[in-house]
């Protein structure tokens, strides 16, 4: 039985299809039950304490799921294993691991295995083997923007986003060791797509015709044998980026979690910018633009300081909603608002877009006769009152507990239930209108702290399944509610 490596390749002839196309087979239900048990053990221990034994059980359960044909569940288990090994890597203690990604992986694994072991007939729970897409004809793509990438393990690079005529998104990635310095250099590096002779900067403002294209399931263009690419003309940014788009729903098909909207600058707040979202009929919400990366090798912070020094300026932004603060957008590119009087005046060569990680905004890019002062000259009157500023959602308390449970385990999740702040957290959630969130917060802490014992004080039974079910309910509620808040805030 393999226990140390990744899930081994499937054995030919051993895959077990469902007996009834409408429902999971008995073998699939058993395999899902094994995945639930293994995932529950990992959750109870926490990522920092899930050592060789919990990981071995998860590998065995994932292999069984593969033999049973549970492709989605197997993929979820492999994702959890990858996060566990990165977290526990003794040589990677300096790496920045994102707790929200671990939570998403665990939530997916527990949810899918829970539904499958209950014989849920939804065919989407079975999933399929991820396969690369081979378009029938040539792809005509248009550049949208470049996005610096700084990942764990001192990796760095660039992702160039492209879109086709139907609104489907694609990307070209160039990521390797080197951190922020490499991310800066990669913005003007050669595009690694077979014999294509151009760089990421030119491509992001131009276009591409690809024949024999090979597209990964996440929309990445792969440099496989037989791929041919030719540079082509681009199009104005407004043609690719709509004025408003809900998070994660910009375009279709291979859509990255990007949000586009028109905003009016209100004031600078340190290296962040307070803006008001433009809407057609009612005053939009006040939100915050924050640097995607604050490293001096990248231009995000300098550009946001420049924008924050120009109250009243209207810009179109494209970025990512902060997973921990729904009122915060981390923009990757900006452009002028069509028809607006006070908006950016970008060079024709930039094609109405400025990549905030690479392009430096200057005085010439702002409206004539309205020079933007440095941020130090912003007065108190330009800053909105405290009650108009964006604040963290009360759901942050729920997110903190869910992430603490995933990383630190059941004992860590029980700590908030033992101090005097639990009642205050529950009361704050209720005041914010999140009654269900308050109930789930209290229930998760209570279940985590409970230790069943017999009449002699010895541990009696194991309620690990109940704890995993309570954590799953809280995590699913958190994801759904935050997504609804984001849609209501950014897409009106």
């Amino acid at each position: 039985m393999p226990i140390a490596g990744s899930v081994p390749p499937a054995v030919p002839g051993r895959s077990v299809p469902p007996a009834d196309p409408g429902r999971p087979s008995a073998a699939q239900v058993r395999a899902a039950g094994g995945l639930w048990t293994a995932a529950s053990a990992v959750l109870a221990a926490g990522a920092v304490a899930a050592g060789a034994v919990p990981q071995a059980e998860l590998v065995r359960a994932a292999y069984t799921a593969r033999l049973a044909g549970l492709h989605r569940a197997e993929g979820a288990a492999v994702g959890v294993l990858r996060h566990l090994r990165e977290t526990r890597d003794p040589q990677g203690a300096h790496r920045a691991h994102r707790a929200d990604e671990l939570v998403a992986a665990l939530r997916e694994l527990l949810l899918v295995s829970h539904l499958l072991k209950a014989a849920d007939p939804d065919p989407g729970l079975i999933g399929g083997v991820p396969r690369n897409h081979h378009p029938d004809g040539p792809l005509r793509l248009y550049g949208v923007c470049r996005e610096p990438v700084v990942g764990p393990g001192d990796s760095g690079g660039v992702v160039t986003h492209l879109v086709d005529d139907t609104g489907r998104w694609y990307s070209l990635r160039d990521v390797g060791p080197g951190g922020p310095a490499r991310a800066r250099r990669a913005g003007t590096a050669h595009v690694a797509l077979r014999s294509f002779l151009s760089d990421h900067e030119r491509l992001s403002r131009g276009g591409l015709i690809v024949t024999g294209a090979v597209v990964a399931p996440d929309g990445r263009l792969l440099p496989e044998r037989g791929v041919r690419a030719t540079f082509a003309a681009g199009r104005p940014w407004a043609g690719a980026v709509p004025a408003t788009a809900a998070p994660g729903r910009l375009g279709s098909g291979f859509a990255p979690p990007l949000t586009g909207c028109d905003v009016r600058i209100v004031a600078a707040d340190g290296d962040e910018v307070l803006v008001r979202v433009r809407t057609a009929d009612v005053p939009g919400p006040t939100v915050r633009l924050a640097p995607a990366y604050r490293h001096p090798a990248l231009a995000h912070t300098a550009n946001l300081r420049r924008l924050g020094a120009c109250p009243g300026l209207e810009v179109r932004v494209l970025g990512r909603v902060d997973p921990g603060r729904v009122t915060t957008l981390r923009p990757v590119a900006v452009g002028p608002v069509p028809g607006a009087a006070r908006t950016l005046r970008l060079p024709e060569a930039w094609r109405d877009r400025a990549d905030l990680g690479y392009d430096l905004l200057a005085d010439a890019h702002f409206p004539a006769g309205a020079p933007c002062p440095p941020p130090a000259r912003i007065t108190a009157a330009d800053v909105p009152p405290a009650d108009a500023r964006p604040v963290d959602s009360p759901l942050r308390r729920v997110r903190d507990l869910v992430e603490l449970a995933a990383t630190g385990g059941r004992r860590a999740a029980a700590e908030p239930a033992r101090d005097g702040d639990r009642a205050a957290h529950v009361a704050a959630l209720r005041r914010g209108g999140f009654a269900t969130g308050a109930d789930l917060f209290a229930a998760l802490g209570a279940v985590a702290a409970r230790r069943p014992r017999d009449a002699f004080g010895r541990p009696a039974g194991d309620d690990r399944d109940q704890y995993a079910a309570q954590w799953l309910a809280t995590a699913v509620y958190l994801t759904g509610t935050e997504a609804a808040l984001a849609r209501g805030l950014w897409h009106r």
Side-chain angles (χ1 to χ4, degrees):
M1 179 185 68
I3 60 175
S6 58
V7 179
V11 179
R14 293 288 301 278
S15 180
V16 182
D20 182 353
R23 302 185 66 85
S25 66
Q28 289 176 327
V29 171
R30 289 194 299 271
L35 275 174
W36 171 268
T37 301
S40 299
V42 168
L43 179 64
V48 297
V53 173
Q55 289 187 39
E57 292 299 319
L58 188 56
V59 168
R60 183 178 66 175
Y63 184 55
T64 304
R66 170 176 288 188
L67 295 179
L70 299 179
H71 306 293
R72 179 178 171 183
E74 179 216 348
V78 171
V80 171
L81 279 167
R82 183 179 66 253
H83 284 290
L84 293 179
R85 290 170 181 177
E86 289 177 353
T87 303
R88 292 178 53 82
D89 182 3
Q91 298 181 355
H94 63 285
R95 301 178 183 176
H97 300 289
R98 293 185 54 178
D100 60 307
E101 294 179 353
L102 172 63
V103 167
L106 271 171
R107 183 188 65 243
E108 167 75 1
L109 176 57
L110 285 169
L111 179 61
V112 172
S113 59
H114 173 74
L115 295 174
L116 283 172
K117 72 186 184 71
D120 191 301
D122 183 1
L125 297 172
I126 302 297
V129 178
R131 299 183 185 277
N132 294 333
H133 175 58
H134 299 264
D136 294 333
L139 286 177
R140 178 64 169 94
L141 306 178
Y142 305 92
V144 176
C145 65
R146 293 168 295 165
E147 179 184 7
V149 175
V150 180
D154 197 36
S155 63
V158 64
V159 174
T160 295
H161 297 287
L162 307 104
V163 66
D164 64 13
D165 290 314
T166 66
R168 177 171 292 185
W169 286 71
Y170 300 81
S171 65
L172 276 168
R173 297 177 60 90
D174 178 10
V175 179
R182 188 186 188 282
R184 178 65 191 176
R185 295 192 303 269
T188 54
H190 175 72
V191 175
L193 189 61
R194 305 302 292 179
S195 59
F196 183 64
L197 299 177
S198 188
D199 55 64
H200 284 275
E201 181 179 13
R202 185 167 177 245
L203 178 59
S204 67
R205 294 185 168 101
L208 191 65
I209 299 176
V210 188
T211 57
V214 181
V215 186
D218 60 357
R220 287 179 295 117
L221 295 172
L222 303 177
E224 300 290 343
R225 185 187 301 273
V227 176
R228 296 291 182 270
T230 305
F231 185 81
R235 66 181 181 186
W237 208 46
V241 180
T244 57
R249 301 189 184 277
L250 188 56
S252 59
F254 312 116
L258 297 176
T259 295
C261 60
D262 291 344
V263 301
R264 180 180 290 108
I265 305 297
V266 176
D269 189 9
D271 59 359
E272 300 182 352
V273 182
L274 301 178
V275 301
R276 189 175 294 277
V277 178
R278 290 186 53 187
T279 55
D281 46 1
V282 297
T286 301
V287 297
R288 185 183 300 270
L289 304 182
Y293 298 105
R294 288 183 164 86
H295 195 279
L298 302 172
H300 295 96
T301 301
N303 283 326
L304 284 186
R305 286 184 179 273
R306 173 78 68 165
L307 290 171
C310 298
L313 187 74
E314 297 182 352
V315 295
R316 179 164 293 182
V317 298
L318 180 66
R320 302 176 184 275
V321 176
D322 191 305
R325 295 191 297 174
V326 72
T327 57
T328 297
L329 184 72
R330 299 190 180 273
V332 298
V334 296
V337 175
R342 286 177 51 83
T343 189
L344 293 172
R345 303 288 188 263
L346 300 180
E348 183 178 355
W350 286 16
R351 302 289 293 177
D352 294 335
R353 73 206 70 180
D355 299 324
L356 293 181
Y358 297 106
D359 302 319
L360 274 173
L361 296 174
D363 289 340
H365 302 146
F366 293 87
C372 296
R377 292 174 58 183
I378 292 295
T379 65
D382 298 317
V383 182
D387 58 356
R389 290 193 182 188
V391 297
D392 289 350
S393 165
L395 284 175
R396 182 66 189 183
R397 296 173 171 84
V398 181
R399 171 171 287 279
D400 287 344
L401 182 59
V402 168
E403 292 180 352
L404 179 64
T407 56
R410 183 170 182 170
R411 291 183 179 274
E415 291 303 320
R418 297 192 180 102
D419 59 31
D421 292 336
R422 182 176 63 163
H425 293 327
V426 171
L429 286 164
R430 292 193 184 280
R431 284 196 304 270
F434 301 102
T436 302
D439 293 339
L440 290 170
F441 181 93
L444 179 57
V447 172
R450 185 170 60 237
R451 293 291 189 274
R453 296 185 179 276
D454 59 18
F456 298 98
R458 298 171 299 188
D462 185 3
D463 62 345
R464 186 180 293 170
D465 285 352
Q466 183 180 0
Y467 170 70
Q470 187 63 56
W471 182 92
L472 176 61
T474 309
V476 169
Y477 163 83
L478 176 66
T479 301
T481 307
E482 285 186 335
L485 289 173
R487 287 193 298 269
L489 178 66
W490 296 100
H491 188 45
R492 291 175 173 243

